[in-house]
Amino acid sequence: MAEDLTTPLLSDSEVPAEVPAEAPALKTSPTVAILGSGDFSRSLAVRLVACGFRVVVGSRCVNRIPSGLFPDAVELRNQEGAVSQAGCLVFMALFPEHYHSLLGLQSALAGKVLVDVSNAAEMNNHGPSNAERLAELFPDSLVVKGFNMVSTWELQTGAHDGSRQVLICSNSTEGKRKVVELARQMGFHPVDMGGLSAAREIEVAPLRLFPSWSGSILVTFLLFLFFYGYGFLRGILLPFLAQGHNTFYRLALGLVNESLPAVALVTLALVYFPGLFAAWLQLWKGTKYQRFPSWLDNWLQRRKQLGLLSFLCATLHGVYSLCQPLRRITLYRLVNTAYRQVKAGVEEPWDEVGVWRSELYLSCGVLGLGVLSLLAITSLPSVGNTLNWREFTFVQSGLGYIALTLSIMHTLFFGWDFAFHIEAYPFYMPPSYVLAVVLPCIILVCRCFLLLPCISTRLTRIRRGWESKRNCPVLQHHHVVANRIP
Amino acid sequence: MAEDLTTPLLSDSEVPAEVPAEAPALKTSPTVAILGSGDFSRSLAVRLVACGFRVVVGSRCVNRIPSGLFPDAVELRNQEGAVSQAGCLVFMALFPEHYHSLLGLQSALAGKVLVDVSNAAEMNNHGPSNAERLAELFPDSLVVKGFNMVSTWELQTGAHDGSRQVLICSNSTEGKRKVVELARQMGFHPVDMGGLSAAREIEVAPLRLFPSWSGSILVTFLLFLFFYGYGFLRGILLPFLAQGHNTFYRLALGLVNESLPAVALVTLALVYFPGLFAAWLQLWKGTKYQRFPSWLDNWLQRRKQLGLLSFLCATLHGVYSLCQPLRRITLYRLVNTAYRQVKAGVEEPWDEVGVWRSELYLSCGVLGLGVLSLLAITSLPSVGNTLNWREFTFVQSGLGYIALTLSIMHTLFFGWDFAFHIEAYPFYMPPSYVLAVVLPCIILVCRCFLLLPCISTRLTRIRRGWESKRNCPVLQHHHVVANRIP
Amino acid sequence: MAEDLTTPLLSDSEVPAEVPAEAPALKTSPTVAILGSGDFSRSLAVRLVACGFRVVVGSRCVNRIPSGLFPDAVELRNQEGAVSQAGCLVFMALFPEHYHSLLGLQSALAGKVLVDVSNAAEMNNHGPSNAERLAELFPDSLVVKGFNMVSTWELQTGAHDGSRQVLICSNSTEGKRKVVELARQMGFHPVDMGGLSAAREIEVAPLRLFPSWSGSILVTFLLFLFFYGYGFLRGILLPFLAQGHNTFYRLALGLVNESLPAVALVTLALVYFPGLFAAWLQLWKGTKYQRFPSWLDNWLQRRKQLGLLSFLCATLHGVYSLCQPLRRITLYRLVNTAYRQVKAGVEEPWDEVGVWRSELYLSCGVLGLGVLSLLAITSLPSVGNTLNWREFTFVQSGLGYIALTLSIMHTLFFGWDFAFHIEAYPFYMPPSYVLAVVLPCIILVCRCFLLLPCISTRLTRIRRGWESKRNCPVLQHHHVVANRIP
C-alpha cells in the first residue's frame, strides 16, 4: 500500500501531491479507469495516484503517448483493456462528440459508474446535456455528472478555498454515493445537485461570465449613457447649435468626469434603496414571514456589486479630477486669467465664499471616497470572512450611510447656490448633479425616518419574530437577520 | 440512507448543501431535535438534513408554519413530540426569555444534551449567561453552549475560512463530546473553550465591534486631535487674535492635511517602538524566557492595526495634497503671484534650492507611500498567508523600516532649513512636523544601534535560546520568533 | 478519553485549540515525545495535547522550565525518560548542532520515528541536510523530515489556508505513513516529497525570499536602469555638456517619472509575449503535445508577477504625474508664461490640437490604469479563487489586452506627431517613449493576426487536441488550457 502511495510522487517531482485522505480507501485500493489521454486525463491520473488509487488510462493509441507524460504508477492500456481492469468507476475524459465511438464497450461498461466530466460547448444550446446523451448511449451504466468545474491546474496543485466544490448530479443514488466518496478522498467538497436533469446547468457553469454582475453592470452602464448623453446635449450640442460655441474637446475627459460622479451617486443610492424598501414592507405588513417579491430579493443580493461599481465610478471621478491641473485647457485658463487681471490693472479679489466652497466640497469628496474604500476592502472575501455579524453590519450599513451622506454633501457644496440661479438652467435643463442628487436625498430622508424611536422599535420587534396580528405565539431565536438587511 | 441524503437537496434548489462528511454518522442516522421555528431553526435544519441527520422541529404552533419553509425531510411536531423523538441532541433555537416556557418538558429533556445557541442581548450585562440560566432550569440535562457565532447565512451556504470555528463550552464532557462530533460532521471546526463559565464570553462575542482595533483607533484619534488642536492654535487662532489675520477657511482642508502626515508619522513610529523595546529588554535581561510586561505584549499584538491606520492617514494626506491645485485659494495665489511679477516688471527668478526641495520631498513621499502600500497589501489575510516566515519578516520589518526612513526624509526635505529660522516659531511654537519627526528619528537611531555587529550577534544568540548566566544548557530549536518580533 | 481532551484546554485559556480530528486516534492515545523545550516544542505540545495525544517533553534540565510554560497535561521528564515513554513518534525540537548530544540514546531511539523539524541555517550550504545527518547519527531509527515550515504561531492558532501544507520526506515509508497520519490529525495537509534526499530543499524553503518574484523584479529593475540611464544621457548629461543647460534637478522626480511609464509599458508587453509565442509555436508545430522550451515555461509562469510589477510602475507613474502641479518648477513656469504673455501684449492663443491631445492622453492613461487595477485585484488569491476558468481568461487575457491597447494609445497620444519632428531627436536619440512603444505595438499586431478566422480556428483545433499530421486519432477532453495560455 505504501508503495502505491509514494512511488508516483517520487517520479513526479514538480507537482507536490497531497497524500490520500483515508487509509481505508487505500486498503481496498480500487482501480479507477480513465478513458482518454488529454490534459484532463493526465491531471486526474496524477491526482488519483497521489491519493492512493490504482489508475488505468485507456487510450485508442497507447503507443503514441510520450513516455513520462503520465506518472509511472499509471497503467496505460487500450480502451477495452482499461475498462476490463476498472473497478466500478470509469472517468470519461474525452470530448462528448466522441462518446459514440465507445458504443462497442457498452456491455463491458454495464453496471459501472461513468463519470462525465465534460463542459457544455456553448451557453445557449437547449438540447440534452452531455451527461444525458451519455446516459442514453449507455443505459445500463450509472452516469454521474461531476468534476467539470475543476481545472487541470487545480487537480495538479491541490484545491484552493474558492474552488474546492465539486458539483455532482445523477439519477443513480448508488453512483452518486461512490463519486461523492471519491471526491472527498481527493480533497474536494462534493455538492449534491440532484438528478441528471441538473447536468445542463452544471455543464454550463464554467462558461458563465460573472453572472452575478451582469445586472449591476447594465444598470451602471445605462446610467452612464443617460448622464453622458444629457450632458452632451445640455453642455455641448445645444450651446454649439445656439451660439456656435465649440467645446467638443470636452467629450474625452470633461464630460466623462461630469457623468461619473452622477453615476456613482445614483448607484450608491440604489445600494440602499432595496434595504429601505424591505424595511417599509415589513413595517407595513407587520411581519417578517412574508417573502419579498422576487425582484426585491434579486436586488438585495446585488447590493455588493452595485456598491463596488459605485466605488469604481467614484474612484475614476477622483482620478480624473486630480488630472484637471494637467490639462492644457487649465494652463490656458490660468494664464489668461492672469493676463486679464493685469490688463484690468487689479489684483484677483479675495473670494471668501469661493474659498470655503472649494475647501468643503473637496474635503467631503475625499472623505466620502475614503469611507467607500473601507467598504470596498471589507468586501474582499478574505477580509469579510473575518468579520462577525455586528462588524459586517456596522461596516456595510453604518459606514455605507456615512459614505452616502458625505457624497451628498460633496455634491451640495459643489452645487452651492448655483442651482438657484437662472444661468444654471440653459435651455431649461438643470445640471446633471441636480438630477443625480434627488434620489440619494430621498433615500437618506427615508432612512432617517426609520431611526425615529417609534418606528425603529416596531421594526426591531418585527425582525425578532413578532407579528402584528398573531393568533399563536411562534417563538423565535434572535438571529434576526433575515436576508441580512442592514 | 441515500434518500435521506438527496431528497431535501432536490427540494431546496437554491442552496447547494454539502454532502455529509462521514458515512458512519449516516448509518446510525441519529435524530436531532430543534425547538423553535425561526430563521436559525430553519437554516440549522437545512444543514443537518444535508449532512444526513434526521431532523425533527418542535414548534408551539406547527400549523402556522408555511409549507415549504422547512425542507421536506424535516418532521414538524409540537414541542413535546419533537423532544420525545429526539436522540440525545436538542437544539434550543428560541429566545432565551422563553426558556422557562419549556419547564413542562423538564423530565422529557432529562439526560439529553441541550445546545444553547443564543447570543447575549447586550454587552455589559453581568448576570449569568443564557446557557447558565438554562442549566439552572434544566438541572438534569447536559447543557452545551455553541453555534451562536454561526450565522444563518453560513449555515445555508457552507462555512468559509474565517468563520469555520464553532466555540463550544459545557460542564459536561459527555455532552461536549457529542456536540463536538456533530459540529465536525457539519463541516465546522469545534473549539473547546472549557466549562460553562466561559458561556458569557461566547455569548458576547458576536456583539463585539472590532475589539482588536479599539486601542489603535483611540491612539490615532487622540494624536489627530492633538495635532489638529495644536495647528489650530498656532496657525489660525493666535494669528487671528494677534494680527486679525482671518484664515479660518483652512479648518476644513488645509489644517487637516497638516495634521494627517504628523499622525501618520508618529503612528508608524509607534508600530516599531514595541519591537525595539522588546529587543532592548531581551538584551538587558540576557534571556528570552522572561515574559514581557502585559502592556508590551498588547502593544506588540496591535502593530498591524497601528500600521494600517498609519497607512490610512498617509493615503488621505496624499490625496489631500494632490487636491491642492484644485483649491480656489491656489488659483488666487497663482494669479496674484503673476500679477505682482508683472507689476514689479521682473520675471519670477529661478530658485534652484526651492526646485530641489520640492522634487526631493515629493519623491520621498510618493516612494514612502508606495512602500507602505506593499505593507498594507501583505496584511490582507489571503496574501499574508502565502508568505513564509522569512518573507513576512522581510516585508514587515525590512520594508517597514524603509517606509519609516522615507517618511522621515519626506518630512526633513519638506522642512528643509526652515526649522532653523526664527519665523518658523511664531508664539514660540514649533511647526507640527518638527514635533512629529522627533519620535521616529529616535526609533530609527535605536534600530541602527541594534544593527551594530556586537549587539546584533548577542541578540541573535539570545533569541536562539542562549541565556547570559545559565546553570544548565537548555537546548532550543531555532524557531526563534517569540512573538514574531522583527 | 474525554478528560485527555478537555483538561489541557481548560488550563490553557489564551489559545483556543481545536478539538482532535479523529476519535480512533484518541482511543489508542499514543504518546508523542518531544525532545527540547523551546518555543517550537511548547507550541507543538499545546497543539498535540489539544488534538488528544499524550505528550511527554524531554529536557536536559526539567527543573529550570518555568511552571505554566507547558500545558498541565504535558509530562516533563529528562530526555531518557521522555524517550522511554514515547510511543513510536519522537520530535527532535532542538538545534541540529545539538543532535550529537543525544547519541547516548541511540539504542533507546532505535526503531522509533524521529521527526526532524529543523530549518537550514543558511541558503547556500551544500553539505548534507540536517535530516540526513540525523539519519547518519541514528541509523536504526526512521528519520522523517517535516513540520519545519509550520511556525509556532500557526501551531498555536490553527493553520490558515496558505500555510496548511506540511512537506514531508523520508526513506522509510512506514515512518512517513505515521507522520502523515499525525499531520492530518493535527489539521494539516501532509504533502509527500519523496525520499530523504529532498530534505535539503524542504529545510531551505523557509529561508527563500520570494523565489517566484526574483526574475521578474530583476527584469523590471534592469529595464528601469536602462530607461533612466538613457534618459539621463539624452535629457540631462548631453544637453549640459553641449549647451551648459543645468537640469540635474530632474534626477529626483522628472526623470523617474519619464522612465516609469516606459518600464510599465515594456513589462506589460512582456506579460503577453510568451503566450503569443507559445501560440505561434503550437501553430507552427501543428500540435500541443510538444513541450515548450523550459525558458518559455518559466516565463509563462512569471506572467502574474510581471503584470503586477507593471501595475506598480504604472501606478507610481500616475501618482508622480499627479504631483506635477505641486512642483516648484511648475509654479515657476506658469508664472513666467503669464509674464511673457503680458510683456508680449497678447493673450495665450487657443490651441485646439494641444487641448485635444492632453484630453485624450490623460483619458487613455486613467482608463488604462483603471483596467490594470481590476487585473491586479483579481490576482489577489481570495478574489481569483472565486473565478471560474472563463472569467479568469476574460480578465487576464481580455482585460489585459484592453489595458495594453489603452497604454499604447496613451503613449501615442502623448507622443502626438512630435516623434516626426527633428527636434525630438537631439543627439540623434529618440525619446524614451518611442523606444518603449515598439515592443507593445508588435505584440498587439501579432495578437490581432491570431484573431484572424483562419488562424484562430486552427489554433482552437490544435488546443482541443487535433494534430496536423497524425497517424492515430488520440481523443482529447476539451479542458484545453495547457498552461492556461490566454
Side-chain angles (χ1 to χ4, degrees), chain C residues 147-168:
Chain C
F147 285 94
N148 61 312
M149 297 181 69
V150 182
S151 72
T152 56
W153 181 72
E154 284 156 5
L155 279 172
Q156 294 197 6
T157 60
H160 294 264
D161 209 47
S163 57
R164 222 181 276 152
Q165 288 197 330
V166 166
L167 306 186
I168 283 167

Side-chain angles (χ1 to χ4, degrees), chain A residues 105-119:
Chain A
L105 299 172
Q106 223 169 9
S107 61
L109 288 170
K112 311 227 162 184
V113 177
L114 305 188
V115 188
D116 179 304
V117 299
S118 64
N119 293 334

Side-chain angles (χ1 to χ4, degrees), chain B residues 378-395:
Chain B
T378 52
S379 78
L380 287 174
S382 66
V383 177
N385 284 343
T386 64
L387 303 185
N388 70 27
W389 182 76
R390 189 172 165 220
E391 291 164 350
F392 185 85
T393 310
F394 172 77
V395 169

Side-chain angles (χ1 to χ4, degrees), chain C residues 239-318:
Chain C
F240 178 68
L241 295 179
Q243 303 135 28
H245 192 53
N246 179 345
T247 53
F248 283 99
Y249 69 89
R250 295 185 61 240
L251 282 175
L253 202 151
L255 189 55
V256 173
N257 195 26
E258 198 180 295
S259 313
L260 280 174
V263 176
L265 193 56
V266 174
T267 316
L268 192 60
L270 290 182
V271 171
Y272 293 99
F273 179 81
L276 273 186
F277 193 84
W280 285 110
L281 213 62
Q282 288 178 335
L283 278 174
W284 183 52
K285 304 250 180 179
T287 175
K288 70 162 180 172
Y289 291 106
Q290 270 190 307
R291 285 210 162 244
F292 297 135
S294 67
W295 62 266
L296 186 60
D297 248 359
N298 275 331
W299 197 341
L300 283 164
Q301 280 163 30
R302 296 293 172 268
R303 287 176 293 176
K304 177 179 160 185
Q305 283 79 4
L306 283 169
L308 286 174
L309 287 170
S310 169
F311 173 63
L312 182 72
C313 292
T315 311
L316 278 178
H317 164 57

Side-chain angles (χ1 to χ4, degrees), chain C residues 54-66:
Chain C
R54 281 194 57 218
V55 176
V56 52
V57 167
S59 167
R60 279 219 216 159
C61 32
V62 184
N63 47 337
R64 288 205 60 245
I65 298 174

Side-chain angles (χ1 to χ4, degrees), chain B residues 22 161 164-165 167 173-174 176-177 180-181 184 189-195 288-289 291 321-322 324-325 334 337-338 341-352 354-356 358-364 366-367 369-370 374 377-378 380 382-383 385-392 394-395 463-465 467 469-482 484, chain C residues 1-3 5-6 9-10 14 16-22 36-40 42 59-61 64 79 92-95 97-98 101 117-121 123 147-148 150-154 157 160-164 205-211 246 248-250 252-254 312 316 319-320 322-323 325-329 331-332 334-336 338-340 342-343 380-382:
Chain B
E22 295 299 313
D161 208 46
R164 223 182 276 152
Q165 287 196 330
L167 305 186
T173 46
E174 177 59 19
K176 192 148 57 176
R177 195 182 56 75
V180 157
E181 235 167 61
R184 193 168 296 121
H189 283 242
V191 175
D192 190 326
M193 298 298 283
K288 69 162 181 175
Y289 292 105
R291 285 209 162 245
S321 303
L322 293 177
Q324 209 81 317
L334 258 173
T337 307
Q341 296 297 131
V342 173
K343 288 285 127 176
V346 286
E347 279 205 5
E348 167 97 358
W350 177 251
D351 171 13
E352 179 88 13
V355 166
W356 272 99
S358 84
E359 306 282 294
L360 286 173
Y361 86 70
L362 286 172
S363 230
C364 290
V366 171
L367 290 178
L369 192 56
L374 294 183
I377 288 168
T378 52
L380 287 174
S382 66
V383 177
N385 284 343
T386 64
L387 303 185
N388 70 27
W389 182 76
R390 189 172 165 220
E391 291 164 350
F392 185 85
F394 172 77
V395 169
R463 289 195 175 159
R464 280 176 76 102
E467 294 185 62
K469 294 151 272 167
R470 58 177 170 182
N471 340 336
C472 160
V474 181
L475 299 175
Q476 304 301 337
H477 183 266
H478 70 197
H479 280 263
V480 292
V481 234
R484 287 202 169 214
Chain C
M1 190 212 83
E3 274 71 23
L5 167 66
T6 55
L9 291 166
L10 294 170
E14 290 159 274
E18 279 184 24
V19 182
E22 296 298 314
S37 56
D39 292 327
F40 192 83
R42 181 176 165 272
S59 167
R60 279 219 216 159
C61 32
R64 288 205 60 245
Q79 298 182 323
M92 309 294 278
L94 28 76
F95 284 117
E97 50 266 42
H98 297 299
S101 72
V117 300
S118 64
N119 293 334
M123 286 288 286
F147 285 94
N148 61 312
V150 182
S151 72
T152 56
W153 181 72
E154 284 156 5
T157 60
H160 294 264
D161 209 47
S163 57
R164 222 181 276 152
L207 301 186
R208 290 195 197 286
L209 195 57
F210 299 106
N246 179 345
F248 283 99
Y249 69 89
R250 295 185 61 240
L253 202 151
L312 182 72
L316 278 178
V319 176
Y320 272 127
L322 293 176
C323 283
L326 302 175
R327 293 165 73 189
R328 181 73 185 77
I329 184 92
L331 174 70
Y332 171 81
L334 259 173
V335 171
N336 281 347
Y339 183 83
R340 270 179 228 123
V342 174
K343 289 284 128 176
L380 286 174
S382 66

